[in-house]
């Protein structure tokens, strides 16, 4: 699966107490595919499910740092292209029996626009502090 750099993250815009950064359109992300956004914190992989849900994870598998953006999206999960670890898109958690977590970034979709709350992410440690509503 190809991964293309979508764009460099634009300056942040504050809406309520969370600063969201517009990174593109849902149409820029192929169904069951991904795109990469380069940020000062590292590469973020945006994933689109068959149901048009959008998720953002650090583009690094917790196992051996494989590029998750090049993995296979199925349901609400992605399989790492290097060693087949399966990662939950909503949380960044590895699916048992594997253990580990990649960073998770809150996503907001308004109309067709996709924004990230980069300041709410805990890269390499996961967790969105529930800013995106994912459980």
């Amino acid at each position: 699966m190809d991964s293309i750099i979508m764009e460099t993250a634009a300056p942040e815009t504050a809406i309520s107490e969370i600063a969201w950064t517009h990174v593109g359109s849902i149409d820029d992300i192929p169904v069951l595919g991904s795109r990469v956004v380069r940020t000062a914190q590292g590469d973020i992989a945006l994933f689109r499910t068959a149901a048009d849900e959008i998720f953002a994870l650090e583009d690094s598998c917790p196992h051996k740092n494989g590029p998750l953006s090049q993995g296979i999206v199925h349901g609400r999960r992605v399989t790492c292209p290097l060693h087949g670890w399966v990662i939950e898109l909503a949380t960044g958690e590895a699916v048992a029996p594997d253990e580990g977590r990649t960073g998770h970034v809150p996503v907001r979709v308004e109309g067709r626009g996709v924004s990230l709350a980069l300041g709410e992410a805990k890269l390499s440690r996961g967790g969105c502090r529930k800013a995106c509503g994912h459980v």
Side-chain angles (χ1 to χ4, degrees):
M1 179 175 300
D2 288 334
S3 195
I4 299 171
I5 297 170
M6 197 162 82
E7 67 182 59
T8 299
E12 294 184 353
T13 303
I15 298 175
S16 69
E17 68 272 0
I18 297 175
W20 295 95
T21 301
H22 178 76
V23 294
S25 168
I26 191 171
D27 301 311
D28 298 329
I29 309 166
V31 175
L32 298 178
S34 67
R35 288 292 184 258
V36 174
V37 176
R38 294 196 186 279
T39 73
Q41 295 86 5
D43 290 351
I44 305 296
L46 296 174
F47 299 95
R48 182 176 173 186
T49 68
D52 282 340
E53 294 177 292
I54 305 297
F55 298 95
L57 298 176
E58 185 176 16
D59 193 18
S60 179
C61 179
H63 176 225
K64 297 280 186 177
N65 299 319
L68 293 175
S69 61
Q70 296 178 28
I72 297 170
V73 177
H74 48 96
R76 298 178 86 202
R77 296 176 172 173
V78 60
T79 297
C80 179
L82 292 188
H83 300 98
W85 276 40
V86 178
I87 308 297
E88 294 283 356
L89 293 173
T91 62
E93 292 279 348
V95 174
D98 298 318
E99 295 181 5
R101 177 190 286 189
T102 194
H104 170 218
V105 181
V107 176
R108 181 178 69 188
V109 178
E110 288 185 321
R112 305 300 287 176
V114 178
S115 299
L116 300 177
L118 296 171
E120 301 299 315
K122 287 188 175 178
L123 299 181
S124 299
R125 300 193 60 186
C128 65
R129 293 186 271 173
K130 299 181 181 179
C132 63
H134 293 147
V135 177

